[in-house]
Amino acid sequence: MDLQFSKEDEAFREEVRTWLEDNLLGEFAQLKGRGGPGDEDELIAERRAWEKRLGEAGWACVAWPKEHGGKSATLNQEVIFNEEYARSKAPGRLGHIGTELLGPTLIHFGNEEQKKRFLPGIVDASELWCQGYSEPNAGSDLANVQTQAVLDGDEWVINGQKIWTSHAHVAQWCFVLCRTDTDAPKHKGISYILVPMNQEGVEYRPIRQMTGNSEFSEVFFTDARTPKENVVGGINAGWKVAMGTLAFERGASTLGQQLAFNSEMDIILEAAKETGASKDPLIRQKLAALKVELNIMRLNSLRTLSHSETNELGREAMINKLYWSNLHRKMGEVAMEILGQESLVRPETEGYDLHKLQRLFLFSRADTIYAGSNQIQRNIIGERALGLPREPKVSTKT
């Protein structure tokens, strides 16, 4: 297992680090450490301007081919970019759903007209995206989506409801999983359709979270319309495209997460010193265990890269989501132990402002659910990494 980066990779790291140091200044200095989990619906205009700055320099979508506005970065370089981005405390990516999910999906599954129409708007942040997957009865069982799209002349007419839709309140477009053949088996009657959000037939209702933020929304489509050519991958072929998007979501963009967690660990350690909890031998033991687990997270990321001779992620990558979601929850729990009774009291500030560690604890409760629940992750590991028999399915079709 080779855990070393090449000289070319280290030169790339220096280029990224220098650019971030030179640009996280002035109007963007206020964004350091902002826009992360539990803080994602803050400083929207400022973070959009930052996305535009990234796009102008080619850093918005480093792994995309250069002809589409990226840098054609290798998988190693993509991880290096994410590591340096987190190390510099640059803000949470407002355009993440476009740059990391839809963009790679269009490059892989879209036609040339779709790439030409939609990719430039993702790079320059003029068009933000949201993801229309989950429904009240279709979360982990994604193939159960009930939102319908019916072709009417040159347009699709869409009716249904989506939920847990991140950034729906700022997005101009949504990629929506729709049922386009109600008679087909549920995995085969789905299409992946691009739908404009700014129209009369689309309504979003923000969901207030425990942290006081509302980055998620319910989205209702009532006779919403979109041109018929906005189907990605073909009519009734959306399941394969949807799984492709999820693979991109679970890929390299999560590998730089370890440094973001390290930044939160620094806050926990500082709090332990301030409260005197660092003198408690049991707390010290828990803090040491967290640091060890963070290092294991990094080493597994490097192992994943070491085994990859192409830009495809191997089986080792399949444990990432399960591992980091459990680790992050433990970090939140130890943080609350360190704050002690203070963890139960909201700071005396206006509005609903919380201590950073309270926000960490509350938001991390959802880590094991979103982006594929732990149960789904265990199925993926069992079936795709270990080669175990597939989970028995119960057909609802008569």
Side-chain angles (χ1 to χ4, degrees):
M1 180 169 59
D2 182 5
L3 301 182
Q4 303 297 317
F5 289 109
S6 68
K7 289 183 179 179
E8 291 77 14
D9 289 338
E10 292 301 341
F12 180 82
R13 183 187 297 281
E14 186 60 31
E15 182 185 358
V16 176
R17 185 175 296 183
T18 300
W19 189 89
L20 288 167
E21 289 174 353
D22 290 345
N23 284 273
L24 274 172
L25 302 171
E27 62 180 308
F28 298 123
Q30 62 172 320
L31 298 180
K32 284 189 172 183
R34 300 300 306 271
D39 191 39
E40 292 188 22
D41 65 343
E42 300 293 334
L43 299 169
I44 296 295
E46 293 84 354
R47 287 164 57 209
R48 190 165 192 165
W50 171 246
E51 290 288 332
K52 184 177 181 181
R53 175 69 65 86
L54 288 169
E56 290 169 346
W59 294 115
C61 319
V62 291
W64 291 19
K66 289 182 179 177
E67 63 264 32
H68 295 312
K71 286 187 176 290
S72 298
T74 65
L75 188 56
N76 279 19
Q77 291 172 339
E78 189 178 1
V79 173
I80 287 171
F81 174 79
N82 286 321
E83 286 187 339
E84 291 304 318
Y85 193 88
R87 193 194 309 276
S88 71
K89 301 188 187 309
R93 295 293 305 275
L94 184 65
H96 171 82
I97 295 174
T99 60
E100 307 301 330
L101 303 188
L102 181 68
T105 301
L106 285 179
I107 291 170
H108 192 80
F109 296 99
N111 58 40
E112 291 306 311
E113 289 75 19
Q114 290 168 340
K115 294 174 189 176
K116 185 177 179 181
R117 164 62 184 85
F118 293 110
L119 294 180
I122 295 174
V123 174
D124 67 13
S126 61
E127 292 181 332
L128 300 176
W129 287 80
C130 58
Q131 181 179 25
Y133 271 25
S134 295
E135 298 182 2
N137 293 312
S140 296
D141 184 14
L142 187 59
N144 197 41
V145 292
Q146 299 300 310
T147 295
Q148 289 194 19
V150 177
L151 201 54
D152 179 24
D154 292 335
E155 294 182 317
W156 290 99
V157 179
I158 298 161
N159 286 281
Q161 177 189 355
K162 298 293 178 178
I163 195 168
W164 308 121
T165 309
S166 301
H167 293 159
H169 61 302
V170 297
Q172 284 72 52
W173 286 83
C174 183
F175 49 96
V176 185
L177 281 192
C178 298
R179 190 155 297 286
T180 44
D181 185 346
T182 56
D183 294 325
K186 64 180 185 179
H187 289 83
K188 297 182 179 178
I190 294 173
S191 296
Y192 191 107
I193 303 180
L194 312 179
V195 182
M197 292 289 286
N198 298 324
Q199 60 172 302
E200 191 173 334
V202 178
E203 177 190 3
Y204 68 84
R205 299 176 187 171
I207 299 172
R208 189 173 175 83
Q209 302 159 215
M210 289 192 294
T211 55
N213 300 85
S214 300
E215 69 194 64
F216 303 110
S217 292
E218 293 178 280
V219 179
F220 298 87
F221 298 94
T222 306
D223 292 332
R225 289 179 173 268
T226 193
K228 68 176 184 181
E229 59 267 25
N230 283 350
V231 176
V232 180
I235 299 172
N236 296 329
W239 184 251
K240 182 179 180 180
V241 183
M243 293 301 99
T245 300
L246 290 179
F248 292 124
E249 184 176 19
R250 293 164 184 160
S253 67
T254 66
L255 297 178
Q257 207 162 16
Q258 181 257 345
L259 276 183
F261 287 3
N262 259 337
S263 297
E264 292 178 328
M265 190 69 202
D266 290 341
I267 299 173
I268 294 173
L269 290 172
E270 190 62 33
K273 294 175 185 174
E274 290 176 0
T275 61
S278 60
K279 298 177 182 176
D280 183 325
L282 292 179
I283 293 291
R284 292 170 67 91
Q285 191 171 10
K286 291 180 180 179
L287 291 172
L290 289 176
K291 287 293 287 185
V292 169
E293 290 185 66
L294 280 169
N295 280 328
I296 291 173
M297 183 176 170
R298 173 174 169 75
L299 289 172
N300 187 60
S301 298
L302 293 175
R303 179 178 67 155
T304 300
L305 295 171
S306 177
H307 289 181
S308 178
E309 296 179 352
T310 68
N311 272 5
E312 300 295 326
L313 292 172
R315 295 187 303 172
E316 299 85 355
M318 295 180 185
I319 70 171
N320 284 342
K321 171 61 172 52
L322 187 64
Y323 187 91
W324 70 249
S325 60
N326 286 322
L327 171 58
H328 204 214
R329 285 178 65 124
K330 279 192 282 187
M331 288 173 62
E333 290 159 7
V334 172
M336 293 301 94
E337 284 190 63
I338 288 170
L339 290 183
Q341 293 181 344
E342 185 185 339
S343 68
L344 303 175
V345 181
R346 182 171 61 83
E348 292 183 2
T349 56
E350 294 184 2
Y352 199 87
D353 199 12
L354 296 171
H355 189 286
K356 286 184 178 179
L357 295 183
Q358 290 175 312
R359 195 180 297 278
L360 162 63
F361 171 76
L362 291 174
F363 189 86
S364 64
R365 299 304 89 191
D367 283 340
T368 55
I369 300 173
Y370 69 81
S373 67
N374 275 11
Q375 290 77 13
I376 292 296
Q377 299 303 321
R378 290 189 177 95
N379 274 356
I380 291 172
I381 293 169
E383 296 174 6
R384 301 181 194 174
L386 302 178
L388 297 176
R390 293 185 65 82
E391 180 187 28
K393 303 289 185 184
V394 178
S395 176
T396 57
K397 188 173 178 59
T398 57

